[in-house]
Amino acid sequence: MSRYTNSIWKKSRHLGFSVLETGEELKKRAYGPGQHGQDRKRKSSEYGQQLLEKQKLRTLYGVNERQFRRLFLLAKKEPTVTGLAFFRILESRLDNLVYRMGFARTRAAARQLVNHGHILVNGNKVDIASYLCKVGDKISLKETSPLKVVKESMDSKPASVAYVQVDAEKFEGVYLREPERNELPQDIKESQIIEYYNRLL
């Protein structure tokens, strides 16, 4: 399945979940898009709820179905609780860390920075958005003079997370540690995602 490229606001309203993690998409109209959005009833079956949770998490990180399933299988092999391990793998993706460090305002913009070769990991250019970083990795901007979009993003003072350390003057950051569950999106029930894949695999 290809990556979703249509309106994120419509997708957020369809899922009933803020994909941008700001809540802006649901402030005005916290119901589904379209003429009958207010009347449309959400699936209430167990399978429907599991599918919804899976779609929320997959859309949040901008991962296609094939990648998402592969990362889930990786998480199942981890000694940590599968749900937390899955979250940690998704958070360690390079495009996500570029976003978390504030170099881009959205994960889609962060993915573009990586794909266009503007990001270094430990001094080496990495242009694969799905690259999984390790704790201690240093992520920096390739250019000595930052791109306008990066500077604008940093100037907007994005909310930082405790598991990354950012030097805004040098446009670089370090992935300090793996996140804890209370530092990750609380609106997602990862247990239902595990149940969804367990019935398929």
Side-chain angles (χ1 to χ4, degrees):
M1 186 176 180
S2 58
R3 184 171 285 113
Y4 183 81
T5 57
N6 294 330
S7 170
I8 287 295
W9 284 53
K10 280 187 180 180
K11 190 69 174 178
S12 293
R13 288 173 59 201
H14 172 70
L15 296 171
F17 168 77
S18 177
V19 175
L20 298 177
E21 297 183 278
T22 62
E24 288 292 324
E25 312 100 302
L26 304 175
K27 272 186 180 177
K28 278 190 176 180
R29 293 173 285 187
Y31 50 84
Q35 183 178 348
H36 304 289
Q38 288 176 287
D39 304 323
R40 194 176 296 141
K41 292 183 179 179
R42 199 172 298 287
K43 292 179 182 177
S44 56
S45 69
E46 185 181 350
Y47 175 78
Q49 291 171 0
Q50 292 169 1
L51 180 62
L52 178 66
E53 293 302 316
K54 190 264 290 185
Q55 293 296 78
K56 282 161 64 173
L57 188 62
R58 192 174 71 78
T59 307
L60 176 67
Y61 287 97
V63 180
N64 66 37
E65 183 61 41
R66 187 176 177 182
Q67 287 177 313
F68 198 72
R69 184 181 293 209
R70 181 178 64 82
L71 294 178
F72 177 78
L73 291 174
L74 281 178
K76 283 195 77 171
K77 295 176 183 177
E78 293 289 324
T80 319
V81 176
T82 303
L84 179 57
F86 195 23
F87 259 120
R88 284 175 169 175
I89 290 172
L90 289 165
E91 281 289 320
S92 71
R93 281 172 54 99
L94 180 56
D95 56 353
N96 179 75
L97 287 173
V98 168
Y99 164 72
R100 291 295 191 196
M101 290 176 180
F103 298 154
R105 291 182 178 178
T106 64
R107 286 185 178 86
R111 190 176 305 115
Q112 194 170 34
L113 279 177
V114 176
N115 290 340
H116 289 186
H118 297 296
I119 300 297
L120 303 177
V121 178
N122 298 325
N124 300 311
K125 185 179 87 169
V126 178
D127 57 7
I128 301 170
S130 60
Y131 176 85
L132 298 180
C133 296
K134 297 175 182 174
V135 172
D137 280 353
K138 185 172 81 170
I139 298 166
S140 57
L141 200 63
K142 183 181 176 183
E143 289 78 7
T144 49
S145 55
L147 298 171
K148 183 182 176 183
V149 288
V150 176
K151 194 166 189 321
E152 286 175 353
S153 178
M154 296 295 285
D155 289 344
S156 68
K157 298 187 181 348
S160 59
V161 289
Y163 46 92
V164 299
Q165 184 180 59
V166 182
D167 187 329
E169 292 183 3
K170 294 182 179 179
F171 292 92
E172 63 182 36
V174 179
Y175 182 28
L176 292 176
R177 60 173 174 80
E178 293 181 321
E180 298 299 329
R181 182 62 186 92
N182 61 3
E183 298 173 302
L184 299 166
Q186 299 299 304
D187 297 341
I188 293 174
K189 300 170 185 172
E190 63 272 25
S191 60
Q192 294 197 342
I193 300 171
I194 295 167
E195 288 172 15
Y196 173 85
Y197 278 116
N198 282 343
R199 71 162 66 195
L200 295 177
L201 303 173

